[in-house]
Amino acid sequence: MRRKLYEIVGRTLLYGCAAVTAGLLLFLAGYILFRGIGGISWRFLSTAESVIHGTVGILPAIKNTVFVILVSLAAALPLGVGAAVYLTEYARNRRFVAAVEFASETLAGIPSIIYALVGVILFCTALKLQKTLLAGSLTLAIMILPTIIRSTQESLKTVPVSYREGALGLGSGKWHMIRTVVLPSSIDGIVTGCILAVGRVVGESAVLMYTAGMSMAMQSFSIDRLAGASGATLTVALYHYAKENADFAVAFSIAAILLILTVIINFSASFLGRKLKELTYG
Amino acid sequence: MAETILSARNLDFYYGETHALKDICLDIPEHNITALIGPSGCGKSTFLRTINRMNDLIEGVRVTGSLTYRGAEIYAPDRDVTELRKNIGMVFQKPNPFPMSIYDNVAYGPRTHGIRAKAKLDDIVERSLRDAAIWDEVKDRLKKNALGLSGGQQQRLCIARALAVKPDVLLMDESTSALDPISTSRIEDLAMELKKDYTIVIVTHNMQQAVRISDRTAFFLLGELIEFGDTEKMFSQPEDRRTEDYITGRFG
């Protein structure tokens, strides 16, 4: 009888934890959509803010966000995957590897405002990029580098030794083996790392306020013009409307868009991962 | 007597402090099946893996003495290991097809060695699968993932994959120990068939298997080569007491 009670109490507590967590998340998502979705219109999505025309639009912020995601990933992905391959497959010095792993784990956890400081000193000032979307993207690239390195490493480690032996036994060189067998087998983990990284990029505001600026103005669509411009991403725009304009309706609309964007990114990334795997394995 | 293809002279092998092979002297003849037998940890697999330098993957190993393949030192400093492994193929204990299509598995080796032409690859894939006695079972699903095959089929696929790079020697590291009796017997038949064109060295725990398929047998114990000779003779009149004790099942 006591045993049975013990089981029931345990199960109820666990059920409660799950219910509270799921409930909170659902409430949050529901509340944001409820408050925000009404303000979303084609006009809202396709125009810029204009005092003269009296419009509130977030097209520049959407463009800036996409730009920042693409550029920071383009910079961090090859670097991070390359570093992870070196650390897991080539590095012989165990203490060096352990030190780098410890450092990257620590770096993945430090507050982003510290990256902002580094970005301001390194990219904005020393490299004379000033407050631009390029400087912001590069700073974010540094910020997401540890995430990409660690998730790639974990994924590389799960590739069975038997695959490696099979490839080497056929006379494959080490790099050829990695490129043709190890990396394709770990594409899932790399994609997961990218999703986490994009999540951090989309959610980041502190770094971008300091390194990319808060301009709400429309920039040209060309890459070079966008790179050299200062601009706010969606999160920074959200901050701008909520804090400086106290316009919560707009802030909630942006929040709803961010929520939807995140869902889209996650789905498309896992879709892409599956497709890539099919493509490499035929 | 066939020509010697692999020859070990005073070969010693160390894993760090462990002396795994002691003063091995052994000549393996061409177009024969040579079985390496002995209890676990006796060094038979280690010896097999020194032949294609698979042991290079382990840190802290050291090899002294001489081991030659067609007269050339396998451990010469300027030895091209990828070329060596192309000539000396290996089939592992557990089937280890890559998680790709059956076709891509077999084409992996030829592609690695620079063959790109589709027609030529098709040709190699078909011939290798036929030689490995699995063509009829897979010819209609070459584009399907190899992991969907049964264990025995996977192992024959791995043999086909090894044959596709046209090796000279085929090393089989307990390649039937993870398989059921029917698959095992198919692979044994296959090995007997393949020895016309290849030299085969197998490691086996199964003494009946050594008797069934091998021409010569080497018995290893605690890193030493105790006895090496004609399989029939060794199993009927072993020269060494320890060989007799092992093959009659007194230990092992």
Side-chain angles (χ1 to χ4, degrees):
Chain A
M1 189 62 213
R2 271 188 65 125
R3 266 185 87 108
K4 206 166 175 188
L5 192 72
Y6 181 74
E7 286 295 324
I8 289 169
V9 169
R11 204 168 54 203
T12 314
L13 280 176
L14 292 175
Y15 179 81
C17 293
V20 168
T21 314
L24 273 174
L25 284 174
L26 280 177
F27 169 74
L28 206 67
Y31 186 71
I32 289 169
L33 288 177
F34 170 71
R35 292 274 312 256
I37 213 106
I40 301 175
S41 63
W42 177 244
R43 207 180 139 89
F44 181 66
L45 292 174
S46 62
T47 57
E49 184 191 46
S50 164
V51 181
I52 301 171
H53 299 109
T55 58
V56 175
I58 57 160
L59 182 62
I62 294 176
K63 266 171 57 192
N64 294 344
T65 306
V66 172
F67 177 88
V68 166
I69 291 173
L70 293 181
V71 173
S72 59
L73 263 190
L77 193 61
L79 258 179
V81 171
V85 168
Y86 176 76
L87 287 172
T88 350
E89 308 288 333
Y90 287 93
R92 283 268 164 262
N93 187 336
R94 293 229 175 85
R95 285 173 64 184
F96 169 71
V97 175
V100 174
E101 285 179 357
F102 180 74
S104 57
E105 232 146 60
T106 312
L107 285 174
I110 64 168
S112 59
I113 194 80
I114 295 171
Y115 286 102
L117 205 60
V118 172
V120 168
I121 293 167
L122 181 62
F123 295 116
C124 303
T125 316
L127 293 176
K128 300 196 172 63
L129 291 177
Q130 294 170 316
K131 256 193 193 182
T132 56
L133 284 167
L134 183 63
S137 304
L138 294 176
T139 313
L140 287 179
I142 295 183
M143 190 181 85
I144 62 176
L145 208 48
T147 313
I148 289 178
I149 291 178
R150 292 300 287 149
S151 58
T152 306
Q153 268 193 301
E154 289 315 312
S155 170
L156 290 173
K157 285 178 192 165
T158 61
V159 178
V161 180
S162 66
Y163 290 179
R164 299 160 194 269
E165 284 190 337
L168 295 174
L170 290 166
S172 163
K174 190 165 185 178
W175 167 239
H176 184 78
M177 180 258 308
I178 292 169
R179 193 176 62 74
T180 54
V181 175
V182 177
L183 280 177
S185 306
S186 33
I187 211 100
D188 307 27
I190 297 172
V191 168
T192 310
C194 288
I195 295 177
L196 289 173
V198 170
R200 282 202 78 180
V201 169
V202 172
E204 188 51 51
S205 49
V207 166
L208 290 167
M209 280 183 212
Y210 283 91
T211 55
M214 298 181 69
S215 160
M216 306 290 286
M218 189 72 167
Q219 307 295 342
S220 140
F221 270 95
S222 74
I223 298 269
D224 53 323
R225 291 287 292 280
L226 216 49
S230 158
T233 61
L234 284 168
T235 39
V236 176
L238 194 158
Y239 168 85
H240 172 84
Y241 283 110
K243 189 75 186 168
E244 306 202 337
N245 294 11
D247 189 344
F248 284 98
V250 174
F252 269 107
S253 294
I254 295 176
I257 286 167
L258 276 168
L259 200 71
I260 295 163
L261 193 68
T262 314
V263 171
I264 292 173
I265 287 170
N266 283 7
F267 271 112
S268 48
S270 60
F271 177 76
L272 194 75
R274 271 206 308 279
K275 278 279 159 235
L276 275 174
K277 204 153 200 171
E278 275 172 28
L279 219 68
T280 37
Y281 290 150
Chain B
M1 185 67 212
E3 208 171 308
T4 296
I5 186 165
L6 293 161
S7 171
R9 287 287 171 275
N10 311 106
L11 183 75
D12 281 86
F13 185 91
Y14 305 85
Y15 291 111
E17 294 298 302
T18 315
H19 196 171
L21 289 175
K22 295 169 188 159
D23 204 32
I24 305 295
C25 295
L26 181 71
D27 284 334
I28 292 175
E30 213 176 2
H31 299 306
N32 262 268
I33 298 181
T34 303
L36 312 178
I37 62 166
S40 300
C42 68
K44 55 190 190 305
S45 273
T46 303
F47 179 71
L48 194 78
R49 285 168 167 255
T50 52
I51 298 174
N52 69 343
R53 293 187 54 168
M54 260 345 232
N55 286 326
D56 289 13
L57 306 182
I58 305 162
E59 267 176 74
V61 298
R62 196 154 56 84
V63 184
T64 64
S66 159
L67 180 63
T68 59
Y69 160 64
R70 293 200 181 278
E73 277 298 338
I74 287 173
Y75 283 86
D78 60 348
R79 173 57 98 171
D80 179 351
V81 182
T82 59
E83 190 61 28
L84 175 80
R85 292 187 184 141
K86 184 173 176 280
N87 290 321
I88 306 182
M90 191 167 211
V91 182
F92 297 84
Q93 180 172 7
K94 287 208 185 106
N96 61 345
F98 303 128
M100 0 172 143
S101 73
I102 292 168
Y103 184 97
D104 287 336
N105 262 280
V106 183
Y108 185 87
R111 279 180 179 145
T112 296
H113 298 289
I115 297 174
R116 289 268 170 265
K118 175 93 171 61
K120 194 158 185 204
L121 283 174
D122 287 351
D123 202 44
I124 293 173
V125 169
E126 175 168 351
R127 202 175 21 162
S128 308
L129 288 167
R130 280 189 191 281
D131 286 349
I134 191 179
W135 172 252
D136 288 332
E137 290 158 69
V138 299
K139 64 180 177 207
D140 300 323
R141 45 171 170 160
L142 292 176
K143 297 287 167 200
K144 293 267 164 62
N145 196 307
L147 298 181
L149 297 172
S150 74
Q153 289 174 325
Q154 287 189 4
Q155 195 62 303
R156 276 180 285 141
L157 175 66
C158 291
I159 293 174
R161 187 175 69 182
L163 296 181
V165 295
K166 297 208 182 94
D168 191 11
V169 179
L170 199 58
L171 308 175
M172 301 178 84
D173 190 0
E174 293 186 50
S175 302
T176 60
S177 67
L179 305 179
D180 62 89
I182 292 169
S183 304
T184 300
S185 114
R186 294 201 69 164
I187 287 178
E188 287 178 3
D189 293 345
L190 180 57
M192 306 276 278
E193 195 61 35
L194 291 172
K195 77 172 182 180
K196 277 187 263 167
D197 302 309
Y198 306 90
T199 303
I200 299 177
V201 186
I202 62 164
V203 162
T204 181
H205 262 117
N206 180 334
M207 276 173 282
Q208 285 76 32
Q209 181 169 65
V211 175
R212 279 195 299 267
I213 68 171
S214 74
D215 303 293
R216 323 198 92 216
T217 299
F219 173 56
F220 286 78
L221 186 63
L222 299 170
E224 286 178 67
L225 177 64
I226 306 296
E227 194 169 338
F228 177 53
D230 193 65
T231 301
E232 238 169 84
K233 186 173 168 296
M234 189 190 277
F235 278 89
S236 52
Q237 297 165 292
E239 278 169 16
D240 195 288
R241 186 60 205 271
R242 290 167 290 182
T243 313
E244 189 180 345
D245 286 350
Y246 180 69
I247 62 181
T248 53
R250 256 174 236 154
F251 68 95

